[in-house]
Amino acid sequence: MKRMGWISMLAIALVCMATSASVAGEVIKVGLPLPLTGIHAKFGEAIRNAYLLGLEEITAAGGVTKGAFKGSKIELLIEDTTSKPEVARSAVEKLITRDKVPMIVGEYSSSNVFAVAAVADKFQIPYLSQTGAADNITQQGWKWVFRVNQPASEYAGGLQDFLLKVVKPKSMAILFENTLFGTSLSKAVQEWTKEVGIEVTNFEPYEAGAIDFKPMLLKVKAKNPDVMFMVSYLMDAMLLMRQSKELDINPKIFAGGAAGFTMPEFIEGARGAAELVYSATLWAPDVKYKGAREFYDKYYKKYGVHPEYHSTEGYAAAYVLKDVLERTKSLKNEDLREALAATDMLTPFGPVKFEAYKKFINQNRLPTLVVQIQKGKLVTVWPKEFAAADYVYPVPKWAERK
Amino acid sequence: MGWMLDVRKLSKVFGGLPALVNVDFGIAPGEIVGLIGPNGAGKTTLFNVITGVFRPTSGEILFEGKNLVGLKPHDICRLGITRTFQVVKPLPKMTVLENVMVGAFARVGTKEEAREIALRELEFTGLLPKRDALARSLTLADRKLLELTRAVATRPKLILLDEVVAGLNPTETEETITLIQRLPERGIAAVAGVEHVMRVIMTISHRIVVLNYGRKIAQGSPEEVGHNPEVIEAYLGEAYAETS
Amino acid sequence: MAEGQRKGHMDLTILLQTVLAGVLVGGLYGLIGMGMAINFGVLRIINLAQGELLMVGMYVCYWVFTLWGLDPLLSPVVTIPFLFVLGVVIHRFLLTPLIRARALPENQILLTVGVGLVLTNAALLAFTSNYRTITTSYSASLITLGSIAVSLPAVLAFGIAMLVSSALWLFLMKTDLGKCIRATAQDPDAALLMGVNVERISVITFGIGAALEGAAGSLLVLVYYLFPALGGIFTLKAFIVVVLGGLGSTLGALLGGIVLGLAESLGAVFVSTGYKDAIGFIVFVLMLIFRPAGLVGKARM
Amino acid sequence: MAARGGKGWRWGGAVLGVAVLLGFPIVVSDVYLQHLAIFFLLWVTLGTSWNLLGGYAGQISFGHAAFFGMGAYTSSLLFAKLGFPPWPGMLLGGVAGILLALPMGHICFRLRGPFFALSMLALSEFLRLVTLNWRDLTEGAVGILLPPFFISKLPYYYIALALAAATMLATWFLVDSKVGFYLLAIREDQDAAEALGIDTTWYKLVALMVSAFFSAMAGSYYANYMAYIDPPIVFSIVDISIAMILVAVLGGMGTLWGPVVGALVIVTLSEAFRAYFAAAHLIVYGVLIIVVIVFMPEGIVGSLAARGPRWLRPRVATDAPGASQG
């Protein structure tokens, strides 16, 4: 048993070494937990880059320029949560209790957002989430949790509008990766089809990362639906479209549910099969929000990677953070929360204003967009007021294309 | 005399190849039987079938009137038959004492009782001084001895000894044989399987059974078997009676 | 009536196309599994870094294509020797000491977990987590037979997988080294007595197991994409393939791969795509219960 | 045998250890450290329960996440669907683990070789896919979000401590008895064990059931503590199944204290590496595994114990008076 004694001491010593004391001063430290390794590393990196880009601009422009903290600089304490919820939890508990951050932003996957949000709510530290999509993140009555992005069930709002007004489909196949995001979005769309009287010919979850989607696609082909709606990440989206073209499947339109279908690598990796594919999305570089194009160019220039909506969410959140710090009376949790709740601003991601509606609270309510890939470029085509170009419809069959 | 173990018309076929063919024999309580046969004659298979490792293709094995066919090795051990292995199987990372305690647990439930039995049996076989050594550190002779001790600790009525003296030098062989000779005084019968017809086996065995190509070719007192022409033929070309 | 006939025809087409898809993917699974099988046959351990070796093979293929324009179909001339050397190094410097020390098999398996972690995360550092694909002139080409269409890269990949498998089989059957490997797999002690340098054979076998992943990597790039963390998925597939094929049998692994490919594709069509992989596991457990020696029985290598 | 020390000295150590464990969360109020301590205890539980089966009985499982996930889902579903209280639900989670272990053991323990290890892996993947696809029951990939039960970490800590202690005591009790000797005998040589009257299938099954029970309880605990589960998290091969083996092997298989040391090393080092090596932390972790396995094949406790006090040795120590005379 004596071992337990020095074992505990060693544990304490090691952990103490691993954490640095925070320095007070003109710097406001805000916690940014992100998955920088593990399965979500790619998104963690993209979001981190966006935050850092935003922070760099903010700092260059003098940091916090108004209010009680005028002249203060913002520092982001980045913690790698390794794509695991228990690590996200330990990172946030560390940020709150050791680094004493007044506020938390960040995280990516919904499962990690749950972990962060539960801790933040328990400690009554405001948490601004910008990517986690699960509906119930803002349905738990978590008073301290705010969300910039739309909940999963609303991702396809714009697309649904487009379908009703333009395509007027009678049938629809829904294929989705068997993840939280895929399941939530597909279920929402399935329920919507019931309301508007569209027959769902196929409702197929699949395991992400398959080599071969042909068996599933053959089932779709046999039903020949008007719309093929797919919720997939990048690599599955690529293969789905490539193999749909190989199998000569010709619905009236192919429509993606955000995620992979709006990523630049998709257009490249799908080898021509991406052309004229529609997708729901939260953001596109050509959307008519102020600063959208500029953000796109700056990000691309700095990192050499095309940003998509995950990055824009992070960039927008950085500016929301600055805005909140310019309006808050103090760094006390209640004041920060109040300032957050009163947010009403425009960002390149769209307007940000937290509302309570349906079952949601502290939820930013934004329209969602429809993009189409035209000549290898992502073009916003719906809703009309944000559209950068006309949609191409009807879409020719594969065989009729050049 | 009634047989304690009665093997009747036992056959075992592996993928079309017969390993045992209609073998009949019996063992009386407290008897020492030498089971002789060249390599591949079926001795190990016979032991494996009796102890339930393999199910016989046909035939019966009666032990004290109970049919053993279909029972598992551990059931058979509890009924009173245990064995040693041709390739020794000590429990390498346990001590000599612990090895023997594992055997003793077949009859008792607590560590203290098992320990007591184990120490007594180690004394009996002379391994007591090495009780704290790890089994894997023992010499081959000691491992064989350990296996025998462990087997005795299960309080069997019958021990099947597979290749009991293979690989031992003359002195070690002599010691082992002496030990086997003392088993009946503990109420234990033994079948000692050996490859060669050795004088020592001939002298300690009450009876000899000879296997060749899976068949019993001879049975009887050591003298009878030693003069059996078929036995002599089976061993033709080999040194008939090794002078050990 | 005409409608019914058309439907019947459609069903047949779907069945044929499904079977074809299953066999084509299965060939690749088989090749990936063979690497693990040959290792298991000789070393008696499951190499849990097998998928990571495949990942390395894919990156090598990707870079020789991107930097020097070497066609993926020709890239095995680079990936095979590269992975062979990598395998030999891993075995020589990490596994050999363990084997000499007679370490428990689970330690050897865990060691391969460590190797896998290092490979994956080194790739993550070196190449970032970005997904990459290769586009060649024939990437989008199709072969059509009546109403059935198959992608040319998938057919080419399958063909070469069969070629590599046959080459491996000939190597094991006809060459002295191959015979030594088989002898070691059957009975290491006996092989040792017969004068086979078992340690050297183990090292070479591990190299061959890795080299097979190199070849498989070159082919997989044609139909798939690559990213650092893809190893785990394929280690698991290889695992199932090896059990289906009878642990340690290379020809069995090939057959096991095709069975797995078929089970997955037929399951996806006739049961549910979501349960596709579950069907693979059910086949796996049924095998364990009813034919633990694998599809081809006790034959080794 | 200098380190054997007096009995009183050892009792003193034990009392001190218990005091440290009981007092830790009261003295150390930092919730971050408390969180790490909770995970340390959780990994002690998981490592110890894997070790009973893998280290003592020699039955290596590559899929203990099957039990972990089974426990997590059982108690969470009982709560979410029927409102069954989650802490008693932990016990039912454990029972569910046993119910899963029974048929598994029956099928697999008849076979020798790596079949059990592989079948466990298949089982955990199978369960992951079932929970993912049986959306009506499990909510599939959306997972189950539970309300947090306590604000303070103290109750969580003491429940984790009780669970870890129960697992270790159960292991100690089993290992120190006839069952322990039998499990070791099975690990060392199954044929010999059978010949010595050991019903190997039964004793392996006993070890599996105990191991499954505690692993599943740990899964339930995880669900209650983290308040959210989904199939990829609780049925993770790398983060649960392999990590359990790592804890046991790094610490020392077949030793009582091995998993404790293993859990300590894994929890503290992975946290420290995460802070210090940033993106490279998993490489460092991988290298650490390789180094320990190559240079300390018996694990940390196993390797130290070869030179250290007898009671640490990786086998059943027969501490009776006669033993030290030889």
Side-chain angles (χ1 to χ4, degrees), chain D residues 18-42:
Chain D
V18 169
V20 166
L21 283 171
L22 286 177
F24 175 82
I26 297 165
V27 176
V28 181
S29 59
D30 184 327
V31 287
Y32 169 61
L33 288 184
Q34 290 177 351
H35 172 83
L36 291 188
I38 287 171
F39 263 80
F40 161 68
L41 292 169
L42 187 68

Side-chain angles (χ1 to χ4, degrees), chain B residues 78 82 92-93 98 111 132, chain D residues 176 178 188 194-195 197 316 323:
Chain B
R78 305 236 160 213
T82 189
K93 285 203 234 164
E98 286 162 357
K111 261 170 65 175
D132 286 327
Chain D
D176 197 44
K178 174 172 170 172
E188 296 292 301
E194 275 281 339
V316 173

Side-chain angles (χ1 to χ4, degrees), chain A residues 36-39 41-43 45 178 204-216 218-219 221-222 233-236 238-239 242-243 245-247 263 265 268-269 271 305, chain C residues 10 14 17-18 21-22 25 29 124 128-131 133-135 139-140 142 149-151 154 220-225 227 229 233-234 265 268-274 276-277:
Chain A
L36 298 175
T37 52
I39 47 171
K42 182 180 166 52
F43 299 98
E45 273 170 37
N178 210 339
E204 292 276 341
Y206 65 83
E207 183 92 339
I211 296 184
D212 195 9
F213 289 101
K214 282 184 189 145
M216 178 173 77
L218 284 164
K219 279 192 340 198
K221 184 174 178 171
Y233 274 105
L234 178 62
M235 46 294 185
D236 297 330
M238 269 164 20
L239 291 188
R242 255 149 62 172
Q243 296 179 357
K245 187 181 173 191
E246 280 169 24
L247 294 176
M263 295 172 80
E265 296 96 323
E268 195 186 318
R271 297 175 189 156
V305 180
Chain C
M10 195 68 204
I14 288 187
Q17 187 110 43
T18 308
V25 171
Y29 285 170
L124 190 68
T128 75
S129 55
N130 283 339
Y131 299 104
T133 49
I134 281 182
T135 308
S139 281
L142 288 180
V150 271
S151 86
L220 195 58
V221 166
L222 290 171
V223 293
Y224 202 55
Y225 42 83
F227 59 102
I233 308 169
F234 289 97
S265 65
V269 168
F270 297 106
V271 186
S272 151
T273 317
K276 185 189 85 168
D277 293 306

Side-chain angles (χ1 to χ4, degrees), chain C residues 34-114:
Chain C
M34 278 167 84
M36 190 183 266
I38 191 170
N39 277 342
F40 187 84
V42 171
L43 304 170
R44 288 285 179 280
I45 64 157
I46 301 277
N47 174 14
L48 288 181
Q50 205 74 30
E52 277 77 9
L53 291 173
L54 175 76
M55 180 271 297
V56 173
M58 290 173 79
Y59 271 101
V60 171
C61 173
Y62 175 86
W63 286 113
V64 295
F65 174 78
T66 313
L67 298 178
W68 301 315
L70 185 66
D71 192 290
L73 288 174
L74 297 175
S75 71
V77 298
V78 181
T79 53
I80 288 181
F82 187 94
L83 267 287
F84 179 81
V85 172
L86 180 63
V88 165
V89 168
I90 291 172
H91 192 290
R92 179 63 195 78
F93 292 102
L94 299 175
L95 281 168
T96 306
L98 280 194
I99 293 168
R100 281 192 190 151
R102 295 177 182 280
L104 299 166
E106 50 269 29
N107 279 12
Q108 302 176 27
I109 295 170
L110 273 182
L111 184 83
T112 66
V113 173

